[in-house]
Amino acid sequence: MEFRGFAGLFYKISDLITMFTGSNLLWALFNLPLLYLVFSMLFVQNSNQLITLVVTMLILAPFIFFPATTAMFGVIRKRILGEDIKLMQSFWRYYKENYGRSMVGGLLIGFMWIVLIVDYYFFTAYVANWFMYPFLILALFLFVFTLHFFSLTVHVDSKLKETFKVGLLLTLGNPLLTLGLGVITGFIIYVSFQVVTFLIPFFMGSLISYLSFLAFYKFFMRFIKSIGQTGVSDTPAN
């Protein structure tokens, strides 16, 4: 049955909100240990405690955060491409089928984040404070690269090496996309934690996933045409 007019608009908006909320709640449920650590960061007393929490999160992330976030990206992808969604079934299927790949990718990306954080602490504490600026730029690029990793994992059928290669090319090859995506998602995270905290369990993750995959998909198709064959095919991973 298809609704028209105001009823149809109301139905589409309600369905979109349900998808955002449902996928975000599932994502939050699977990330409860990490969410606890995130909220603990609000009560740290010094930089050493903060670094300890961040490193602990990065160690746990490949086994918890990456598989759950990949599953959420998978659900969002199906929505953007207009495919039918059975929310819990789709989330669980993406979670199971991509767990190993997400974990290995998460271990590699988590290691990159740890190196970046340790180097940031060393250079800003023992060399010069101005080093914080180039490290913030590197963090922006690594953050967007991480988002591209999730989008590529659920959208294309490729080896992990090729996924990293294409993700890196997308991140470095389109600085405007990288800057825009980094600023917008950073703003969503800031607002979620500092202004409207109810967004965290209901909308924060799914909204970031939606905007990230939408931007990724738009530029990915153009990217594939520009570089030709790379070993990566525009075929759903699931």
Side-chain angles (χ1 to χ4, degrees), residues 66 101 105 109 145-153 160 163-164:
F66 274 80
R101 177 187 177 87
I109 294 174
F145 170 80
T146 305
L147 294 177
H148 287 329
F149 168 78
F150 293 123
S151 295
L152 284 163
T153 297
L160 189 61
T163 297
F164 271 64

Side-chain angles (χ1 to χ4, degrees), residues 29 66 70 72 80 92 120 122 130 155 160 185 190:
L29 178 65
F66 274 80
T70 298
M72 180 172 60
I80 291 176
W92 182 240
Y120 170 84
F122 173 80
W130 64 263
H155 187 63
L160 189 61
T185 53
Y190 173 80

Side-chain angles (χ1 to χ4, degrees), residues 23-81:
S23 58
N24 203 96
L25 285 171
L26 286 170
W27 173 77
L29 178 65
F30 278 73
N31 277 294
L32 278 179
L34 291 177
L35 289 176
Y36 171 78
L37 294 176
V38 169
F39 280 106
S40 298
M41 293 171 63
L42 300 176
F43 307 99
V44 296
Q45 302 296 322
N46 52 61
S47 59
N48 288 333
Q49 292 180 357
L50 179 61
I51 291 174
T52 299
L53 283 174
V54 171
V55 171
T56 303
M57 291 167 56
L58 290 173
I59 292 173
L60 294 176
F63 309 97
I64 300 174
F65 174 80
F66 274 80
T69 306
T70 298
M72 180 172 60
F73 266 76
V75 171
I76 296 298
R77 171 192 174 275
K78 289 173 72 69
R79 174 69 192 213
I80 291 176
L81 297 185

